Amino acid sequence: MSLVLVVAVGAGVGLVLRGGRSGGDATGDGVTDPNTVVVKDEEITKLVEGHSRALASGDAKAFTSIFDQENAALVRGQARVFANLRKMPLAEKSYQVLRRQGRAEDSFGRGVKFTQDVAFVHRFTGIDLRPVAEWYRWTIEKASPDAPLVVTKVTGAPPTISGEASKTMYYPGPWDIWPDIAVVKAGSNLVLARPEDAALARRVAPAVSAAAAGDLAFWRKNGDPNAAVPTGFVVALVEGQAQLGRLFRTAKAEEAGISIGMPSWGVGDDTVRVGGTRVVMDTTTAFFKDEQGIREISEHELAHSLIAGLDSAEFSFLGRSKWIVEGFAEYVAGRGRPITENRRFPEGRAYLEGRLAMPFEGTLPTNAVWDFKGMTNTNYFMGHLAMRFIAEKYGERKLVEGVVAAYRAPGDDSEAAMFQALGVTKAGFERQWAGYVRAQLA
């Protein structure tokens, strides 16, 4: 249960290469030999722009015409993508040129084959703050000087830098891999599910709607009314962690649910670096045994999504402090209920009593030990207790102010920004918080 932002940062979130070429690729400028097979930039642009028009106009034949017609499975799969996307309530949708790699010119009349990364830029109506992008990698072939470009393979494009949590950039969407999509309205939100889970989506929808309304009411009461926060959310339902790690990303999943932040397309001077989020929840977890559990996990993940647009998305080595990120989401999901009713309360007590892998020493959990030897649930609970302590001592408005300050600071500075907003040192905070934890778990 976490917020993940998969993006190449440092040079600016959402900064992409439009019409770009990898080193050594030819543009075709000045080529006169009739035997030369060359792919020019304008050919790529024309291909991608035509694909955009086909999707916008609802022309399925034109949409699938760019793919290898001898590959029935590919054409059938892209026809399914087209049908699924036509069901999505998108205010904006287009394909944009990214990077190109491989041999795009041959002087001996032989065909060329290369890869072209393409961004599917889109914005869910009334949900996304800004357009966001899913990155595809097309394999393209041109058989002869006068032959058309043919897309022979479609996969997800990898991140622009190594070390990212996901192997692909927001690929695959449910439209890429589900045979059909059930789209269920949940107030101002959408619940997406495979056809066989349509009834479950309808059952989940009221809980998602109530969770969104509750989280937004909390924000209206305590947050900055001028801040960029969404008024609706996209939630997708999956079965099992294998599916959880294969929707809007390609990664190993260990969560019950996740809010995936997507960078705004073409940020420029825009202060909204995260244009939208996609919430994915595993319906096989204990949270889906009853309505209260569904409401709880929805409140948690939507709390992440609620403030994602305030994320500075600046590069950091260790990342934003998880006790702040997860503690806030846990607090929003658990506010108004006795702490003794928290599903993690027994682990918290065991921690205090020294029965876990690490003893309680009165210090906040660091990112380095967050998942140490089964301590994850306990650390979530410690983050929750930290937020409860802040709310009780300083008030919920000050709590929100501190969390927003942490999000707007570079990740490595998030903890310092929180304490600065509270007007306390870390040592002083931990000393008081440790006493609070002992009193709550005694």
Side-chain angles (χ1 to χ4, degrees):
M1 298 168 67
S2 58
L3 173 68
V4 171
L5 175 63
V6 183
V7 62
V9 294
V13 177
L15 179 64
V16 297
L17 303 179
R18 292 181 174 79
R21 303 182 300 274
S22 296
D25 281 352
T27 65
D29 295 340
V31 174
T32 58
D33 189 336
N35 292 321
T36 297
V37 179
V38 63
V39 177
K40 299 181 180 180
D41 287 348
E42 51 264 34
E43 287 183 89
I44 298 292
T45 300
K46 183 178 179 181
L47 182 77
V48 172
E49 288 180 347
H51 204 52
S52 297
R53 287 194 299 271
L55 177 60
S57 65
D59 190 338
K61 184 176 181 180
F63 186 87
T64 58
S65 66
I66 69 171
F67 302 102
D68 182 4
Q69 299 301 299
E70 295 183 3
N71 187 336
L74 175 63
V75 174
R76 189 165 54 247
Q78 292 305 308
R80 180 192 65 215
V81 172
F82 174 86
N84 282 339
L85 284 176
R86 293 288 295 174
K87 291 185 175 183
M88 299 298 104
L90 300 176
E92 299 179 39
K93 54 193 175 199
S94 67
Y95 293 87
Q96 303 291 335
V97 176
L98 296 173
R99 342 171 255 189
R100 184 161 78 243
Q101 293 181 324
R103 186 173 59 88
E105 179 178 352
D106 186 271
S107 301
F108 300 97
R110 298 171 301 188
V112 295
K113 179 178 180 180
F114 57 96
T115 63
Q116 175 69 55
D117 291 352
V118 176
F120 172 49
V121 181
H122 58 287
R123 180 170 64 85
F124 273 90
T125 305
I127 291 177
D128 292 330
L129 298 172
R130 302 288 189 273
V132 298
E134 172 190 12
W135 291 21
Y136 290 102
R137 173 158 288 181
W138 289 353
T139 299
I140 298 179
E141 297 185 22
K142 183 172 184 175
S144 64
D146 298 325
L149 300 179
V150 177
V151 180
T152 59
K153 185 178 180 181
V154 178
T155 60
T160 54
I161 60 175
S162 60
E164 295 287 353
S166 175
K167 295 179 181 179
T168 53
M169 295 293 281
Y170 312 105
Y171 171 93
W175 40 81
D176 297 305
I177 56 175
W178 291 354
D180 194 2
I181 302 179
V183 182
V184 179
K185 287 281 291 181
S188 299
N189 317 280
L190 291 177
V191 178
L192 308 180
R194 296 171 303 169
E196 59 266 36
D197 294 326
L200 175 60
R202 289 190 291 270
R203 182 169 74 86
V204 167
V208 170
S209 179
D215 286 7
L216 287 167
F218 173 80
W219 177 264
R220 285 193 296 271
K221 181 180 178 182
N222 301 293
D224 179 357
N226 298 315
V229 297
T231 57
F233 308 92
V234 176
V235 176
L237 305 180
V238 297
E239 292 185 9
Q241 290 186 330
Q243 291 186 17
L244 187 66
R246 281 282 298 164
L247 202 62
F248 302 114
R249 58 176 177 162
T250 304
K252 181 180 180 181
E254 297 178 342
E255 316 91 350
I258 189 167
S259 170
I260 301 173
M262 300 180 69
S264 302
W265 171 257
V267 171
D269 296 328
D270 194 344
T271 58
V272 178
R273 298 301 182 94
V274 180
T277 66
R278 303 292 178 256
V279 172
V280 188
M281 300 191 299
D282 178 4
T283 62
T284 67
T285 64
F287 289 100
F288 281 79
K289 290 182 178 179
D290 53 48
E291 300 306 311
Q292 180 178 335
I294 297 172
R295 172 77 178 265
E296 181 182 342
I297 189 173
S298 298
E299 287 177 331
H300 178 107
E301 300 305 340
L302 297 188
H304 284 312
S305 294
L306 176 67
I307 59 174
L310 308 179
D311 196 322
S312 67
E314 293 186 38
F315 176 80
S316 62
F317 179 69
L318 295 175
R320 188 157 284 104
S321 293
K322 291 183 178 180
W323 72 265
I324 297 175
V325 173
E326 299 300 345
F328 176 74
E330 284 289 278
Y331 176 81
V332 173
R335 68 191 189 283
R337 291 194 291 271
I339 197 65
T340 52
E341 293 181 8
N342 189 288
R343 65 183 67 237
R344 295 184 172 97
F345 185 83
E347 290 174 270
R349 178 164 283 177
Y351 182 39
L352 189 66
E353 295 172 353
R355 294 187 281 113
L356 300 184
M358 296 177 64
F360 179 71
E361 296 179 340
T363 57
L364 293 162
T366 66
N367 287 8
V369 301
W370 189 261
D371 296 316
F372 178 77
K373 292 186 177 180
M375 292 292 294
T376 308
N377 274 331
T378 304
N379 290 331
Y380 268 82
F381 192 55
M382 292 300 106
H384 184 177
L385 287 174
M387 294 298 158
R388 283 219 173 199
F389 171 65
I390 293 170
E392 292 179 19
K393 182 175 176 61
Y394 301 93
E396 287 187 328
R397 288 191 178 184
K398 182 60 74 171
L399 164 65
V400 171
E401 180 185 334
V403 171
V404 170
Y407 266 72
R408 285 182 167 155
D412 293 343
D413 300 330
S414 57
E415 200 174 66
M418 164 67 88
F419 294 134
Q420 182 177 2
L422 297 179
V424 66
T425 65
K426 179 177 181 179
F429 179 87
E430 286 185 320
R431 185 167 55 251
Q432 296 178 62
W433 168 74
Y436 176 82
V437 171
R438 292 186 176 98
Q440 292 293 306
L441 300 180

